[in-house]
Amino acid sequence: MKLLYYSLALYLSVDLTAAASRRESTEKPPAKPCTITSPTTGRLFDLSGLQVPRPDSVKSKNPRTHSWNATGYDIGYNFTLNICGPVIEPIKDVVGIEEHLWKNVSAYYKHSGKFYSLGLQNAEPVMRGRKLVLNYTDGSPCEPSTKRSYSKRGIDGRRKNTIISMLCDQDPLAPQLQLSFIGSPDECTYIFEGRSPAACASTAKKPESVGPASVFGIVALIAVLVYLVGGCVYSRVVLQQRGWRQLPNYDLWAGMFAFFHDIFIILTSSCARFLPSRRGYSRVGGMNGTTGGLGARGRSRGDSDAENRLIDELNEEWED
């Protein structure tokens, strides 16, 4: 019977370990938004700390009230962007964008009283070699460029988009993000550079899996269940036991329970002597001449004799 228990427990433990290994190798948790792991170095890039949340969704006392800005210098207008999220500024009448998509605009500029979208929200950075890049697409329709005559050909149907190249800045005194406008070669693609400590790679955290201690605990639990269930079945079917005697090794467990029960009785009986009782107040009354003191004194002696007899009986059982 014991051989059956051990074989079953070993089989279950091996099968459980193999299943855990298969699950770890096949199941991959979804990537956290605004993060990416480099396929070449295995390093983790997390830009989520650069996303500016809407003030009404932040519990802090002084939330940021504007998105990131970049100066356009010689082009006549500036840019407003957010990282991995839509801008928090209220915008409306965005050129070429349907109204229900205005809340998803992640980059824009305002020129001549009109809002132009440079792309909709995207929370998935990409790696271009060793470069960390964030793209926004599907912005406002592109306009013909006045910089190059050949840029007017094939411009119809294209929409404005944004490319943000994120660079690591390890300066401890550097701001959270330095965003710079690099250029727009065709007034359709807008290139920016962002420097931030958040763009520095860190060690990627491995997904949590079942460790050796957890596997050992699960195997031990299964072994206990096999012991109890198998022992009960064996005692009931083979030994024809009923009630608590169906438990495996019932005599052993019953003896251990009786042992601890006797120890508990001895300890509680010994500690009961130090507890306050009503006998003290009765004795005071007896000293003042009342007849209740004699009765209380007699009862106290009887209680003490009964306790002594109980302790003697327990000592004799212990010696036996």
Side-chain angles (χ1 to χ4, degrees):
M1 192 64 183
K2 292 182 179 180
L3 181 61
L4 175 61
Y5 293 165
Y6 296 152
S7 300
L8 182 58
L10 179 61
Y11 170 76
L12 292 176
S13 63
V14 172
D15 183 70
L16 180 63
T17 304
S21 300
R22 290 193 300 268
R23 183 168 59 254
E24 181 180 357
S25 59
T26 57
E27 296 182 0
K28 294 183 178 180
K32 179 182 176 182
C34 209
T35 64
I36 187 174
T37 301
S38 173
T40 56
T41 63
R43 308 280 285 180
L44 176 68
F45 295 88
D46 188 353
L47 303 178
S48 59
L50 299 178
Q51 181 178 349
V52 181
R54 298 186 182 276
D56 54 0
S57 64
V58 180
K59 297 181 179 180
S60 60
K61 296 182 179 179
N62 299 312
R64 187 182 177 94
T65 58
H66 57 276
S67 304
W68 304 105
N69 298 317
T71 304
Y73 295 106
D74 56 341
I75 64 175
Y77 47 82
N78 299 326
F79 302 92
T80 303
L81 302 89
N82 201 353
I83 303 299
C84 296
V87 294
I88 64 175
E89 288 76 9
I91 58 176
K92 60 181 181 179
D93 299 332
V94 183
V95 176
I97 301 296
E98 297 180 4
E99 183 176 354
H100 70 278
L101 296 176
W102 294 351
K103 61 182 179 180
N104 296 332
V105 174
S106 290
Y108 76 92
Y109 67 88
K110 187 177 181 180
H111 183 58
S112 300
K114 298 180 180 180
F115 290 94
Y116 293 86
S117 170
L118 301 182
L120 301 181
Q121 177 183 359
N122 177 27
E124 297 181 359
V126 295
M127 299 297 300
R128 304 296 184 193
R130 301 183 62 180
K131 296 292 185 179
L132 176 62
V133 179
L134 184 62
N135 296 327
Y136 298 144
T137 58
D138 297 327
S140 298
C142 297
E143 299 176 352
S145 175
T146 58
K147 298 179 181 179
R148 298 287 187 273
S149 58
Y150 61 80
S151 299
K152 298 181 180 180
R153 299 193 301 268
I155 202 70
D156 296 337
R158 296 181 59 190
R159 288 183 172 270
K160 296 180 183 293
N161 60 91
T162 298
I163 299 176
I164 307 176
S165 176
M166 300 299 300
L167 302 179
C168 172
D169 191 347
Q170 297 182 344
D171 186 356
L173 301 179
Q176 187 178 8
L177 175 64
Q178 293 181 356
L179 192 62
S180 303
F181 173 64
I182 302 301
S184 176
D186 54 5
E187 295 185 3
C188 201
T189 299
Y190 294 80
I191 304 173
F192 297 86
E193 179 183 271
R195 291 182 176 272
S196 172
C200 299
S202 60
T203 303
K205 296 182 179 179
K206 296 182 179 180
E208 296 182 359
S209 59
V210 180
S214 301
V215 173
F216 177 79
I218 296 174
V219 171
L221 178 60
I222 293 176
V224 172
L225 292 177
V226 171
Y227 168 75
L228 293 176
V229 175
C232 290
V233 172
Y234 178 79
S235 299
R236 184 178 182 85
V237 176
V238 179
L239 302 180
Q240 299 297 319
Q241 300 290 348
R242 295 295 183 269
W244 288 104
R245 291 189 173 274
Q246 296 179 90
L247 294 175
N249 300 320
Y250 170 78
D251 294 335
L252 173 63
W253 301 116
M256 293 179 62
F257 176 78
F259 170 77
F260 288 109
H261 178 266
D262 293 342
I263 294 296
F264 176 77
I265 293 297
I266 293 173
L267 294 177
T268 54
S269 299
S270 300
C271 295
R273 299 179 179 181
F274 302 99
L275 298 177
S277 63
R278 299 178 58 184
R279 293 196 299 269
Y281 300 100
S282 299
R283 290 174 183 172
V284 173
M287 293 176 64
N288 292 334
T290 59
T291 58
L294 294 175
R297 187 179 298 110
R299 287 194 298 273
S300 64
R301 292 177 179 175
D303 293 341
S304 178
D305 294 340
E307 292 178 359
N308 292 333
R309 287 196 298 272
L310 176 60
I311 294 175
D312 293 338
E313 292 176 0
L314 293 175
N315 290 335
E316 292 177 358
E317 293 180 359
W318 178 260
E319 292 176 356
D320 295 339

